[in-house]
Amino acid sequence: MTASTGSRTGDYADAVPLWQQLQAVAQALADVRAGASATTALEAVPSALRPGVQALLFHVLRWLGQAEALRRKLAPRNPPPVADALLCTALALGWREADAPYEMFTLVDQAVEAAKRTPATRPQSAFINACLRRFLREREALVEATAREPMAQWNHPRWWIDRLRQDHPRHWQEILRTNATQAPMTLRVNERQTTVSDYLARLAAQGIDALALGGQAVMLWQARPVQDVPGFADGVVSVQDAGAQLAAPLLLGELTPPQGRPLRLLDACAAPGGKTAHLLELAEAEVTALDIDPKRCERIHQNLERLQLQARVVAADARDLDQWWPVNGQRELFDGILLDAPCTASGIVRRHPDVRWLRRESDIGQLAVIQAALLSLLWPLVRPGGRLLYCTCSVFKAEGEQQIQTFLAHNTDAVLRPSPGHLIPRTARKGDAVRDNGHRDFDGFFYALLEKRAD
Ligand SMILES: C[S@@+](CC[C@H](N)C(=O)[O-])C[C@H]1O[C@@H](n2cnc3c(N)ncnc32)[C@H](O)[C@@H]1O
């Protein structure tokens, strides 16, 4: 079959034959299962195919637990990896009629076509055909038979579900349900250039439906390529989740520089520079932006250039003080430090559906050790009366609440100021009541604002 196959939702690419997209999705899924991130796996996909393949791959990753459970019922012995990935791709895309991008019979037909046309799966094409046609015949019974398996029900690894139940006994189901949703495109309005209300008016004039989420955050009800976002190229807006946009105003809060000089700030884990730029948009400040990854430091430069902002950007390990401190020849203390520490990213699963399948439970402990080291090494660099904002985009308490409890127990010169703590991810739906703080769509984050006693 060479003709394209119309998708039911219109969100998926129609210009390329579906079998070819399924082939690419299955290969990317096999790569993710072998440890590659979805971003890396998608780099191998020709650019014309990539947006459609990414949309399908993300859908598959959101429902992979259910698809794997169905595959085990259909074929108790593991097929070779690419054949297994193709079977799981078709099942993940089609099992839930409510939001399946294509009819199941179309998916079956095209998955078998993909199997026949791929040398690695050609020998299994009859087997794939038999499995999927059985699914078409016995769909209801098979879904019913797998429904009570936790991984099928919640589409996360078992250890992740258990950890969430333990950490958030009241909210674990809400978190898992939210993780199955698609995050919107959220923008940060650059208040050096315009206001939220003026920007909303600009969007409305172009027929773009948007919602103010509080602070500088504006959410688009329909995502669009970044180059089509009004004002993006000119630095009027940036793309940043509303939860991430809490960092800069929290740190800046009541922070004032002594003796009328600009604020001296450190963004210790800064790349790609979203929070660095937000700090600079909101305050007159001298900012040192560090990141251990030189390639990611390039992204900081690019973002600052687009926004016409300036910071001292250094590629360095924040723990190795001799590498990047003193600043300007002097070991001056900072008024404020933002420590957006490396973490499991368990709070941003809506945007990165591969994360849950890539992490291992042991990653939590290993990252917590790095977070604790960064905290204890950077704390002495805060001036008395200054502040350090610790944050992670994780919902696991070992990377948030427990980390800060341990820190406070060992650092009697630190005071915890009013802070959001663990933010549970939420996805806005049209018609939801606006919550008190105005924010109703954000990724999962943890925030703790620490102040150093002045005496
Ligand atoms: C959560 S991301 C930061 C996101 C960034 N703050 C923003 O808002 O755009 C964490 C960053 O920490 C960096 N990182 C990890 N270990 C580090 C270390 N020891 N020193 C400095 N940066 C580090 C990673 O390269 C990564 O870019």
Side-chain angles (χ1 to χ4, degrees), residues 268-275 291-293 296 316-319 340-342 374:
C269 296
K275 298 184 187 76
D291 202 278
I292 198 167
D293 183 337
R296 284 172 64 80
D317 184 335
R319 293 168 296 186
D340 187 10
L374 283 162

Side-chain angles (χ1 to χ4, degrees), residues 294-370:
K295 273 207 182 133
R296 284 172 64 80
C297 282
E298 282 307 310
R299 304 259 319 272
I300 308 180
H301 284 296
Q302 288 159 8
N303 276 321
L304 294 180
E305 197 177 330
R306 184 179 56 83
L307 295 162
Q308 295 161 43
L309 299 168
Q310 283 186 337
R312 172 181 177 249
V313 180
V314 187
D317 184 335
R319 293 168 296 186
D320 185 358
L321 298 189
D322 290 337
Q323 222 189 325
W324 63 270
W325 201 56
V327 178
N328 302 331
Q330 288 187 23
R331 292 196 170 241
E332 289 171 329
L333 300 180
F334 293 95
D335 302 310
I337 294 182
L338 172 59
L339 174 51
D340 187 10
C343 69
T344 54
S346 60
I348 56 171
V349 171
R350 295 185 309 166
R351 295 182 193 281
H352 299 280
D354 52 337
V355 160
R356 71 192 98 172
W357 307 114
L358 292 168
R359 295 284 173 268
R360 299 287 167 264
E361 190 169 15
S362 56
D363 294 343
I364 302 176
Q366 286 168 15
L367 285 157
V369 170
I370 297 171

